[in-house]
Amino acid sequence: MRSLISILDFSVEELDSLISTAKDIIAHPDAYWDRCAHKKLATLFFEPSTRTRLSFEAAMLELGGSVIGFSQASSSSASKGESMADTAKILSCYADIMAIRHPREGAPYVAAKAASIPVINAGDGGHNHPTQTLADLLTISREMGRLQDLTIGLCGDLKYGRTVHSLIEAMSRYTGIRFVLISPEELELPGYITENVLDKENIPYQVCRSLEEALPQLDVLYMTRIQQERFDDLETYERLKNSYVLNVEKMKLAKQNMCVLHPLPRVNEISVLVDDDPRAAYFRQALNGKYMRMALILKLLEEAKNPVKAAETKDNWVYDRICTNPKCICKIEQELPQAAKLTEQGVYRCVYCEQEV
Ligand code: NCD
């Protein structure tokens, strides 16, 4: 059964094809109004969400399908201790496809292993957020006219910002991409992105502490919120929360055709006065998220008609290393085996959350 857990589950050709479908939906919405008639999407949101959950729901409704689900963990049996795997098996009885957001890293992966319908990762802890990346790709394609030969600045919380991780994984596979990583030292990218993606693929990148210094060279600026809910101590959050604020003055340093993205919600990272700048693309980006989720639902439901058995991936798994990430799904679900695999860089990483073990 085909699912979307990491953006790396899709080839570049598949990403390009989703973008083409989304553009076709924008051009000919009437051709899609009943494409998912009698199909149900389940939205399992164990964490707050406005855009992701509601754009998934709007996407399914605009395809003629219907939606079931919950928007907080407290209204599901997870609050009684039901496991992710059992929840996924149950939802497989009631829906045709499901989208899961969970504070635990690796939870949608565990669900996909247990489910008999496609599972979409709608954000797992500070790990991945592949459908936000789909929105980002369509936005960059529409705003810049290309996905190649771009200098992309990522600014803010690069450590816990799951949208950043998935976006780097996706953009690294297009040619001529360069990243400028703008963050405080404490919020730099995790090792599974720098080692497994940037270093492995020889992608040029520059680490920078100053937004002003980075701005003049950027084609795309991706602003992010400092992820308060992922911090262990509030004091560090308070110290870092206003590290970067994009305002009208700073926008003067940017190229005339740069575009500004933000997965939203914003807290204080972008002054509302920037919203009137034609380069501010973040509200268009939120709309693009609905079109890409429509394209994704169509693709996964189509593939589910002829499910291909996934290749066995446990060949290089080892079971003698304990994951130390307190936010990993394996820390609360007792029946999950502690499993790690060896990466090409010679590092063992947890199969659920990718932390080095
Ligand atoms: C992001 C998320 O939830 O990871 N928002 C989103 O899905 N559009 C970013 C964030 O919460 O800061």
Side-chain angles (χ1 to χ4, degrees):
M1 183 61 59
R2 198 82 198 277
S3 285
L4 175 61
I5 304 304
S6 156
I7 199 71
L8 297 173
D9 294 340
F10 285 169
S11 66
V12 171
E13 292 69 33
E14 288 180 303
L15 296 177
D16 290 342
S17 159
L18 284 169
I19 292 170
S20 298
T21 305
K23 288 181 177 170
D24 195 60
I25 294 170
I26 294 166
H28 310 104
D30 292 350
Y32 291 86
W33 69 272
D34 65 348
R35 292 281 295 274
C36 287
H38 312 298
K39 296 286 181 194
K40 272 173 282 163
L41 163 74
T43 52
L44 285 64
F45 277 62
F46 297 87
E47 239 190 14
S49 169
T50 298
R51 269 150 300 276
T52 305
R53 184 171 66 83
L54 295 176
S55 69
F56 259 116
E57 298 194 2
M60 193 54 165
L61 295 175
E62 287 189 29
L63 291 166
S66 45
V67 182
I68 57 172
F70 51 84
S71 57
Q72 47 194 11
S74 59
S75 57
S76 81
S77 283
S79 63
K80 302 177 190 165
E82 185 162 55
S83 71
M84 192 67 252
D86 282 1
T87 305
K89 283 182 190 156
I90 298 306
L91 264 299
S92 299
C93 304
Y94 303 148
D96 301 284
I97 185 165
M98 67 176 113
I100 302 180
R101 167 167 290 192
H102 204 285
R104 291 275 165 178
E105 299 175 9
Y109 173 79
V110 171
K113 290 268 173 223
S116 52
I117 61 173
V119 173
I120 300 169
N121 179 2
D124 62 325
H127 188 210
N128 285 332
H129 195 345
T131 67
Q132 179 61 45
T133 300
L134 297 181
D136 303 342
L137 293 181
L138 178 60
T139 307
I140 296 171
S141 168
R142 294 182 80 189
E143 299 288 323
M144 303 303 291
R146 64 185 193 279
L147 286 164
Q148 295 81 18
D149 303 318
L150 294 166
T151 297
I152 303 176
L154 299 139
C155 178
D157 190 343
L158 310 189
K159 180 177 181 186
Y160 299 118
R162 55 194 174 192
T163 63
V164 167
H165 307 158
S166 295
L167 182 61
I168 291 178
E169 288 180 334
M171 290 307 300
S172 292
R173 292 183 292 157
Y174 288 88
T175 54
I177 298 300
R178 218 182 122 247
F179 294 107
V180 183
L181 307 172
I182 311 148
S183 77
E185 198 176 345
E186 293 97 323
L187 298 179
E188 286 184 354
L189 280 180
Y192 64 85
I193 302 292
T194 32
E195 283 166 30
N196 292 7
V197 184
L198 298 176
D199 295 343
K200 180 177 163 200
E201 307 293 340
N202 269 319
I203 310 293
Y205 67 92
Q206 177 194 337
V207 173
C208 188
R209 302 277 170 244
S210 154
L211 177 57
E212 289 89 330
E213 206 179 288
L215 264 168
Q217 49 177 318
L218 305 181
D219 299 305
V220 176
L221 170 61
Y222 196 91
M223 293 296 293
T224 62
R225 172 177 74 90
I226 309 291
Q227 305 273 305
Q228 177 177 7
E229 66 276 32
R230 316 257 179 247
F231 278 77
D232 294 326
D233 70 302
L234 212 59
E235 206 181 294
T236 314
Y237 168 73
E238 287 297 330
R239 183 164 50 81
L240 299 175
K241 70 178 181 187
N242 289 325
S243 297
Y244 302 101
V245 180
L246 183 65
N247 56 23
V248 172
E249 272 309 299
K250 287 181 198 150
M251 283 298 282
K252 290 183 186 152
L253 302 169
K255 289 183 187 173
Q256 274 316 304
N257 64 346
M258 183 189 80
C259 68
V260 184
L261 273 62
H262 191 311
L264 303 178
R266 70 175 144 189
V267 181
N268 194 32
E269 315 78 57
I270 304 181
S271 153
V272 290
L273 297 175
V274 175
D275 297 359
D276 295 331
D277 190 309
R279 295 169 290 183
Y282 29 91
F283 292 115
R284 295 190 288 276
Q285 183 184 1
L287 176 61
N288 287 332
K290 181 185 73 177
Y291 295 123
M292 281 305 261
R293 290 180 175 106
M294 289 172 83
L296 174 67
I297 291 169
L298 284 171
K299 175 182 171 64
L300 291 179
L301 285 179
E302 191 57 39
E303 292 194 26
K305 287 183 189 160
N306 302 303
V308 185
K309 201 175 171 339
E312 191 50 85
T313 53
K314 293 187 179 171
D315 296 355
N316 58 351
W317 285 22
V318 299
Y319 299 93
D320 59 349
R321 287 173 185 254
I322 307 295
C323 178
T324 53
N325 175 7
K327 299 188 177 103
C328 180
I329 185 72
C330 74
K331 292 291 144 199
I332 51 161
E333 304 232 335
Q334 302 304 322
E335 83 285 5
L336 288 176
Q338 291 285 320
K341 60 185 172 190
L342 190 59
T343 67
E344 282 174 29
Q345 288 68 43
V347 172
Y348 284 96
R349 292 194 178 276
C350 171
V351 297
Y352 310 106
C353 71
E354 296 184 80
Q355 168 136 321
E356 186 171 348
V357 292

